Amino acid sequence: MSIRVLVVDDEPLARRGIVKRLASHADMQVIGEAGDGETALSAIATHAPQLVFMDVQMPGMDGLATLDLLPPGERPLTILLTAYDQFALRAFELRALDYLLKPIDDERFAEAIDRARDTLHLRQAARLAADAPRYPARFAVRSGNRVGFVAAADIDWIEAMGDYAGLHASGKLHLLREPLHLLAARLDPALFLRIHRSTIVRIDRIADMAALSNRDSLLRLHDGTPLRASRTYGDALRAALADRS
């Protein structure tokens, strides 16, 4: 699925930087740029972008005011850009998808893109799956010339392996020919949680969690497997664990 992206920043150099980063993601289609809030509103109405990178601090109408003028149901997914973290609460109130601090870290940028993909694929899957079982109970995996099945209930964690997803179940690795970001949209969010751009874990397999100095977390599964959880997914992880306790 190609994702239509609008880039909004009053600094041309900053816009070029975002566009250049997006060029390395084949599914990101930049449909326009804007240097101020009014132009951004016009571009959103005309081109209906699915994802907007919005600078917070712009002369005249800033990014937050621009979003506030859009009815909640008409706001595209928005990743806010700013050199300061004081706007986080307002960003949350406006339901911004993510919040990137300048200068933008490459890993955080990639994680924000993954989060946008996940959200859009979830929305698309919800529209297409009205008459279908919502979450698959098993997955077909190939081993040589044979096709076997791995039950979703047996999966401990999943890792990205290029165009494949590695299903770790009962101490064995099974390759599923499906990228992780597509598979994530098909998994039951009550059971499975993305903890890193390359890792999904079954929530009830988590034995304990320890905080790391960079705000990431180190998880240990019941079978002893250690997994690193990115700080990007920290709030969702803590909420999921709280719900299970």
Side-chain angles (χ1 to χ4, degrees):
M1 181 179 72
S2 180
I3 298 173
R4 302 185 306 277
V5 185
L6 175 69
V7 179
V8 184
D9 198 303
D10 63 303
E11 298 180 6
L13 184 61
R15 293 200 304 272
R16 286 198 295 270
I18 296 296
V19 171
K20 184 176 180 181
R21 290 172 186 264
L22 290 170
S24 63
H25 299 271
D27 57 342
M28 296 290 147
Q29 177 191 2
V30 178
I31 51 87
E33 299 180 29
D36 58 75
E38 291 186 0
T39 305
L41 288 175
S42 177
I44 290 171
T46 302
H47 301 295
Q50 296 162 289
L51 177 63
V52 175
F53 283 85
M54 178 80 73
D55 186 25
V56 171
Q57 293 179 294
M58 296 185 291
M61 186 189 306
D62 66 20
L64 296 177
T66 301
L67 284 181
D68 202 28
L69 287 177
L70 292 168
E74 298 178 15
R75 289 176 196 154
L77 291 181
T78 304
I79 297 173
L80 293 173
L81 311 170
T82 179
Y84 306 97
D85 61 3
Q86 65 205 52
F87 305 104
L89 178 59
R90 186 65 179 131
F92 176 78
E93 292 171 348
L94 290 170
R95 300 183 181 179
L97 178 71
D98 211 333
Y99 189 95
L100 297 181
L101 292 175
K102 299 179 181 180
I104 298 171
D105 175 78
D106 287 339
E107 183 177 358
R108 280 288 292 112
F109 185 87
E111 289 175 347
I113 290 292
D114 283 339
R115 178 174 287 185
R117 286 193 187 103
D118 287 349
T119 302
L120 290 170
H121 282 300
L122 280 170
R123 291 180 179 180
Q124 183 185 48
R127 289 193 297 267
L128 296 177
D131 299 322
R134 188 172 182 187
Y135 305 114
R138 63 179 187 170
F139 300 93
V141 295
R142 183 175 293 276
S143 178
N145 295 324
R146 302 181 60 186
V147 174
F149 294 93
V150 177
D154 293 336
I155 297 173
D156 300 314
W157 65 285
I158 307 169
E159 64 176 318
M161 303 181 74
D163 291 333
Y164 290 80
L167 310 181
H168 292 263
S170 303
K172 296 182 179 180
L173 173 63
H174 308 272
L175 294 182
L176 176 67
R177 192 177 181 116
E178 185 172 1
L180 190 74
H181 70 272
L182 293 181
L183 177 59
R186 301 203 296 129
L187 295 172
D188 185 347
L191 301 176
F192 292 93
L193 181 69
R194 195 163 191 166
I195 59 170
H196 191 276
R197 58 181 300 215
S198 61
T199 312
I200 295 172
V201 68
R202 187 174 171 99
I203 301 168
D204 62 5
R205 300 297 200 268
I206 300 173
D208 55 53
M209 178 176 70
L212 300 177
S213 58
N214 64 348
R215 294 170 56 205
D216 285 359
S217 300
L218 184 64
L219 305 183
R220 184 176 58 85
L221 306 190
H222 286 292
D223 66 0
T225 300
L227 295 176
R228 191 181 191 93
S230 167
R231 61 186 181 276
T232 303
Y233 303 94
D235 290 343
L237 174 59
R238 286 185 286 273
L241 292 176
D243 288 342
R244 304 289 298 192
S245 62

